[in-house]
Amino acid sequence: MIPYGHQWIDDDDVDAVVRVLKSDWLTTGPCVAEFEQALCSYTGAKNAIAVNSATSALDIAVQSLDLPRGSEIITTPFTFAATANSILFNGHIPVFADIQRETRNIDPESIRSKITKKTRAIMYVDYAGQPCDIEEIRAIADEYNLLLIEDAAHALGASYRNKKVGTFADITVFSFHPVKPITTAEGGAALTDNPVLAERMRLLRSHGIKKEISPQANSGKAWEYDMVMLGRNYRITDLQAALGISQMTKIDTFISKRNELASYYHKHLKDIPFLELPTTTPGVHHGWHLYTLLVTGIERDSFFDYLREQEIGVNVHYIPTYRFSYYKDHLPTEVTGYPVTEDVFSRIITLPLYPGINSQMTDFVIEKIRAYG
Ligand SMILES: *Cc1c(COP(=O)(O)O)cnc(C)c1O
């Protein structure tokens, strides 16, 4: 089976991890700080907090905002479950906005229609690695005094108006799961220019425990520490951070390769009448984490089954979050009225795309698609 996504690991990645295995630090050590510095230099962000997954990063991002319980956070339903889950973890209410068909990104007009007195933040996702209409979302946030979290799990290496993703929102989150733009096996990071949010997220990564405590509270004893926030253990290991540092040296190569592959698919699929190809918005440098098609006039599920029978690991990204049983059982009101999300969900299919795919594989995928029907 050709998977829809796969990591790229070189010998220098392996060597970097082995060096740490033979060092004094297995978990938090010098590589974590160095990896965070690499993320900051690459994106231009002032602070990066590396953790054990993007799910953890989203959780501490929401917690660090310190919103009153029951606040509403507007988000997209067309994403992985972890996006809205991070809102629920913190006792808040995810309010879903509809998406735009061409990009599958959250629709700023729909965001506006969902704002209430309880809205405190917007959590948007750069679907497939294509940055959202960030200027428009920022304008809404400024108008209504809302905070922004960018779930950029797909979008490390992507740019908006010639600026790398990482500094647009109050907090930006990346994922380093094997199918994502770079990998640390499991891993994620939260980036922010805000020193208060950075300090809170650093504490929340490790139990909310503070070693440097105020002179009043300090007994003068060397063993003294305090716990000032309710944190968990979300630490990333030095082994993973070493892999991350090594992968960061290849990020631009990975993104170029993904762009080449997307162009290749486009060139060879554009005349097929039953396909609507993905588009790139002007002013955006796409990360191409996912290459998704919309089918028209054919059954998506029959097409999907046919491609799977050919050992092509197509996928559906995503089942809208509000369709999950847990959400149906736990949201205060019934969730309906997402015509674009429902239409896209019924017609979408993800093709294999990752840096290690070769032309025999892409040609095989194209040939089987052309032979359909
Ligand atoms: C993969 C993903 C996550 C979760 O990432 P993990 O590192 O696996 O926890 C969150 N949001 C989106 C949009 C994702 O694709």
Coordinates of all heavy atoms in Angstrom, one line a residue, residues 199-247:
E199 N 5.6 32.1 29.4 CA 6.0 31.7 30.8 C 4.9 30.7 31.3 O 5.3 29.6 31.9 CB 6.0 32.9 31.7 CG 5.9 32.7 33.2 CD 7.2 32.2 33.8 OE1 8.2 32.0 33.1 OE2 7.2 32.0 35.1
R200 N 3.6 31.0 31.1 CA 2.6 30.0 31.5 C 2.7 28.7 30.8 O 2.6 27.6 31.5 CB 1.2 30.6 31.3 CG 0.8 31.7 32.2 CD -0.6 32.2 31.8 NE -0.9 33.4 32.5 CZ -1.8 34.4 32.0 NH1 -2.4 34.1 30.9 NH2 -2.0 35.5 32.7
M201 N 3.0 28.7 29.5 CA 3.0 27.4 28.8 C 4.3 26.6 29.2 O 4.2 25.4 29.3 CB 3.0 27.6 27.3 CG 1.6 28.2 26.8 SD 1.4 28.1 25.0 CE 2.4 29.4 24.5
R202 N 5.4 27.3 29.5 CA 6.6 26.6 30.0 C 6.3 25.9 31.3 O 6.7 24.8 31.5 CB 7.7 27.6 30.2 CG 8.6 27.5 29.0 CD 10.0 28.2 29.1 NE 10.3 28.5 27.7 CZ 10.2 29.7 27.2 NH1 9.8 30.8 28.0 NH2 10.4 29.9 26.0
L203 N 5.6 26.6 32.2 CA 5.2 26.0 33.5 C 4.2 24.8 33.3 O 4.4 23.7 33.8 CB 4.5 27.0 34.4 CG 5.4 28.1 35.0 CD1 4.6 29.2 35.6 CD2 6.3 27.4 36.1
L204 N 3.2 25.0 32.4 CA 2.2 24.0 32.2 C 2.8 22.7 31.5 O 2.3 21.6 31.7 CB 1.1 24.5 31.3 CG 0.2 25.5 32.0 CD1 -0.7 26.2 31.0 CD2 -0.6 24.9 33.1
R205 N 3.9 22.9 30.8 CA 4.6 21.7 30.2 C 5.1 20.7 31.3 O 5.2 19.5 31.0 CB 5.7 22.2 29.4 CG 6.7 21.1 29.0 CD 7.7 21.5 28.0 NE 8.6 22.6 28.5 CZ 9.5 23.1 27.7 NH1 9.7 22.8 26.4 NH2 10.3 24.1 28.2
S206 N 5.4 21.2 32.5 CA 6.0 20.4 33.5 C 5.4 20.7 34.9 O 6.0 21.3 35.7 CB 7.5 20.6 33.5 OG 8.1 19.6 34.2
H207 N 4.1 20.2 35.0 CA 3.4 20.2 36.3 C 3.1 21.6 36.9 O 2.6 21.6 38.0 CB 4.3 19.4 37.4 CG 4.7 18.1 36.9 ND1 3.8 17.0 36.8 CD2 5.9 17.6 36.4 CE1 4.5 15.9 36.3 NE2 5.7 16.3 36.1
G208 N 3.4 22.6 36.2 CA 3.2 24.0 36.8 C 4.1 24.3 37.9 O 3.9 25.1 38.7
I209 N 5.2 23.5 37.9 CA 6.2 23.7 39.0 C 7.3 24.7 38.7 O 7.8 24.8 37.6 CB 6.9 22.3 39.3 CG1 5.9 21.5 40.1 CG2 8.2 22.5 40.1 CD1 6.4 20.1 40.5
K210 N 7.5 25.6 39.7 CA 8.4 26.7 39.5 C 9.6 26.6 40.5 O 9.3 26.4 41.7 CB 7.6 28.0 39.8 CG 8.2 29.3 39.3 CD 7.3 30.4 39.5 CE 7.8 31.7 38.9 NZ 6.8 32.8 38.9
K211 N 10.8 26.5 39.9 CA 12.0 26.3 40.8 C 12.4 27.7 41.4 O 12.8 27.7 42.5 CB 13.1 25.7 40.0 CG 12.7 24.3 39.4 CD 13.7 23.2 39.7 CE 13.1 21.9 39.4 NZ 13.1 21.6 37.9
E212 N 12.3 28.8 40.6 CA 12.7 30.1 41.1 C 11.5 30.7 41.7 O 10.5 31.0 41.0 CB 13.2 31.0 39.9 CG 14.1 30.4 38.9 CD 13.4 29.5 37.9 OE1 12.2 29.9 37.5 OE2 14.0 28.5 37.5
I213 N 11.5 30.8 43.1 CA 10.3 31.4 43.7 C 10.6 32.7 44.4 O 11.7 33.1 44.6 CB 9.7 30.3 44.7 CG1 10.7 29.9 45.7 CG2 9.1 29.1 43.9 CD1 10.1 28.9 46.7
S214 N 9.5 33.4 44.7 CA 9.6 34.8 45.2 C 10.3 34.8 46.5 O 10.3 33.9 47.3 CB 8.2 35.4 45.3 OG 7.5 34.7 46.4
P215 N 11.0 35.9 46.8 CA 11.8 36.0 48.0 C 10.9 35.8 49.3 O 11.4 35.2 50.2 CB 12.4 37.5 48.0 CG 12.3 37.9 46.6 CD 11.2 37.1 45.9
Q216 N 9.7 36.3 49.2 CA 8.8 36.1 50.4 C 8.5 34.7 50.7 O 8.5 34.2 51.9 CB 7.4 36.8 50.2 CG 7.5 38.3 49.9 CD 7.5 38.6 48.4 OE1 8.5 38.2 47.7 NE2 6.5 39.2 47.9
A217 N 8.3 33.9 49.6 CA 7.9 32.5 49.8 C 9.2 31.6 50.0 O 9.1 30.5 50.5 CB 7.2 32.0 48.6
N218 N 10.3 32.2 49.7 CA 11.6 31.4 49.7 C 12.1 31.2 51.1 O 12.4 32.1 51.8 CB 12.6 32.0 48.8 CG 13.7 31.1 48.5 OD1 14.0 30.2 49.2 ND2 14.4 31.3 47.4
S219 N 12.2 29.9 51.5 CA 12.8 29.6 52.8 C 14.3 29.7 52.9 O 14.9 29.5 53.9 CB 12.3 28.2 53.2 OG 12.8 27.3 52.3
G220 N 14.9 29.9 51.7 CA 16.3 29.9 51.6 C 16.9 28.5 51.5 O 18.1 28.3 51.5
K221 N 16.1 27.5 51.4 CA 16.5 26.1 51.3 C 16.7 25.7 49.9 O 15.8 26.0 49.1 CB 15.6 25.2 52.1 CG 15.5 25.5 53.6 CD 14.6 24.6 54.3 CE 14.7 24.8 55.8 NZ 14.3 26.2 56.2
A222 N 17.7 25.0 49.6 CA 18.0 24.7 48.2 C 17.0 23.7 47.6 O 16.9 23.7 46.3 CB 19.4 24.0 48.1
W223 N 16.3 23.0 48.4 CA 15.3 22.0 47.8 C 13.9 22.6 47.6 O 13.1 22.0 47.0 CB 15.1 20.8 48.8 CG 14.9 21.2 50.3 CD1 15.9 21.2 51.2 CD2 13.8 21.8 50.9 NE1 15.4 21.6 52.4 CE2 14.1 22.0 52.2 CE3 12.4 22.0 50.4 CZ2 13.1 22.5 53.1 CZ3 11.5 22.5 51.3 CH2 11.9 22.8 52.7
E224 N 13.8 23.9 47.9 CA 12.5 24.6 47.8 C 12.0 24.7 46.4 O 12.8 25.1 45.5 CB 12.6 25.9 48.5 CG 11.3 26.7 48.6 CD 10.5 26.3 49.8 OE1 11.0 26.0 50.9 OE2 9.2 26.1 49.6
Y225 N 10.7 24.4 46.1 CA 10.1 24.8 44.8 C 8.6 25.0 45.1 O 8.1 24.6 46.2 CB 10.4 23.8 43.7 CG 9.9 22.4 44.0 CD1 8.5 22.0 43.7 CD2 10.7 21.4 44.4 CE1 8.1 20.8 44.0 CE2 10.3 20.1 44.7 CZ 8.9 19.8 44.4 OH 8.5 18.5 44.6
D226 N 7.9 25.6 44.1 CA 6.5 25.8 44.3 C 5.7 25.3 43.1 O 6.3 25.2 42.0 CB 6.2 27.3 44.5 CG 4.8 27.6 45.1 OD1 4.1 26.6 45.5 OD2 4.5 28.8 45.1
M227 N 4.4 25.0 43.3 CA 3.6 24.6 42.1 C 2.6 25.7 42.0 O 1.8 25.9 42.9 CB 2.9 23.3 42.4 CG 2.3 22.7 41.1 SD 1.1 21.4 41.4 CE -0.4 22.4 41.2
V228 N 2.6 26.5 40.9 CA 1.8 27.7 40.8 C 0.6 27.5 39.7 O -0.2 28.4 39.7 CB 2.7 28.9 40.4 CG1 3.6 29.2 41.6 CG2 3.4 28.7 39.1
M229 N 0.7 26.5 38.9 CA -0.4 26.3 38.0 C -0.7 24.8 37.9 O 0.2 24.0 38.3 CB -0.1 26.7 36.5 CG 0.2 28.2 36.4 SD 0.5 28.7 34.7 CE -1.2 28.7 34.0
L230 N -1.9 24.4 37.5 CA -2.2 22.9 37.4 C -1.7 22.4 36.1 O -2.4 22.4 35.1 CB -3.7 22.7 37.6 CG -4.2 21.3 37.8 CD1 -3.5 20.6 39.0 CD2 -5.7 21.2 37.9
G231 N -0.5 21.9 36.1 CA 0.1 21.4 34.9 C 0.2 19.9 34.8 O 0.0 19.3 35.8
R232 N 0.6 19.4 33.7 CA 0.8 18.0 33.5 C 2.2 17.7 33.1 O 3.0 18.7 33.0 CB -0.2 17.4 32.5 CG -1.6 17.6 32.8 CD -2.5 17.1 31.7 NE -4.0 17.2 32.1 CZ -4.8 18.2 31.9 NH1 -4.3 19.4 31.5 NH2 -6.0 18.1 32.3
N233 N 2.6 16.5 32.8 CA 3.9 16.2 32.2 C 3.7 16.1 30.7 O 3.2 15.0 30.2 CB 4.4 14.9 32.8 CG 5.7 14.5 32.1 OD1 6.2 15.2 31.2 ND2 6.3 13.4 32.5
Y234 N 4.0 17.1 30.0 CA 3.9 17.2 28.5 C 5.3 17.3 27.9 O 5.5 17.8 26.8 CB 3.1 18.4 28.1 CG 1.6 18.2 28.2 CD1 0.7 19.3 28.2 CD2 1.0 16.9 28.3 CE1 -0.7 19.1 28.3 CE2 -0.4 16.7 28.4 CZ -1.2 17.9 28.4 OH -2.6 17.7 28.5
R235 N 6.4 16.9 28.7 CA 7.7 17.2 28.2 C 8.1 16.3 27.0 O 7.7 15.2 26.9 CB 8.7 16.9 29.3 CG 8.6 17.9 30.5 CD 9.7 17.7 31.5 NE 9.7 16.3 32.0 CZ 9.2 15.9 33.2 NH1 8.5 16.8 33.9 NH2 9.2 14.7 33.6
I236 N 8.8 16.9 26.1 CA 9.4 16.2 25.0 C 10.8 15.7 25.4 O 11.4 16.4 26.3 CB 9.5 17.1 23.7 CG1 9.8 16.3 22.5 CG2 10.5 18.3 23.9 CD1 9.6 17.1 21.2
T237 N 11.3 14.6 24.9 CA 12.6 14.1 25.3 C 13.7 14.7 24.5 O 13.5 15.3 23.4 CB 12.7 12.6 25.1 OG1 12.6 12.3 23.7 CG2 11.5 11.9 25.8
D238 N 14.9 14.6 25.0 CA 16.1 15.1 24.2 C 16.3 14.3 23.0 O 16.8 14.8 22.0 CB 17.3 15.2 25.1 CG 17.9 16.6 25.2 OD1 17.0 17.5 25.4 OD2 19.1 16.8 25.2
L239 N 16.0 13.0 23.0 CA 16.1 12.1 21.9 C 15.2 12.7 20.7 O 15.7 12.8 19.6 CB 15.5 10.7 22.2 CG 16.3 9.9 23.2 CD1 15.5 8.7 23.6 CD2 17.6 9.5 22.7
Q240 N 14.0 13.1 21.1 CA 13.1 13.6 20.1 C 13.5 15.0 19.6 O 13.5 15.2 18.4 CB 11.7 13.7 20.6 CG 11.0 12.4 20.9 CD 9.8 12.5 21.8 OE1 9.8 13.0 22.9 NE2 8.7 12.1 21.3
A241 N 14.0 15.8 20.5 CA 14.4 17.1 20.1 C 15.6 17.1 19.2 O 15.7 17.8 18.2 CB 14.7 18.0 21.4
A242 N 16.5 16.1 19.4 CA 17.7 15.9 18.5 C 17.2 15.6 17.1 O 17.7 16.1 16.1 CB 18.6 14.8 19.1
L243 N 16.2 14.7 17.0 CA 15.6 14.4 15.7 C 15.0 15.6 15.1 O 15.2 15.9 13.9 CB 14.6 13.3 15.9 CG 13.9 12.8 14.6 CD1 14.8 12.3 13.6 CD2 12.9 11.6 15.0
G244 N 14.3 16.4 15.9 CA 13.7 17.7 15.4 C 14.7 18.7 14.9 O 14.5 19.3 13.8
I245 N 15.8 18.8 15.6 CA 16.9 19.7 15.1 C 17.4 19.3 13.7 O 17.5 20.1 12.8 CB 18.1 19.8 16.1 CG1 17.6 20.3 17.5 CG2 19.3 20.6 15.6 CD1 18.6 20.0 18.6
S246 N 17.6 18.0 13.6 CA 18.1 17.5 12.4 C 17.1 17.6 11.2 O 17.4 18.0 10.1 CB 18.5 16.0 12.6 OG 19.0 15.4 11.4
Q247 N 15.8 17.4 11.6 CA 14.8 17.5 10.6 C 14.6 19.0 10.1 O 14.3 19.2 9.0 CB 13.4 17.0 11.1 CG 13.4 15.5 11.3 CD 12.7 14.8 10.2 OE1 11.6 15.0 9.8 NE2 13.5 13.9 9.5

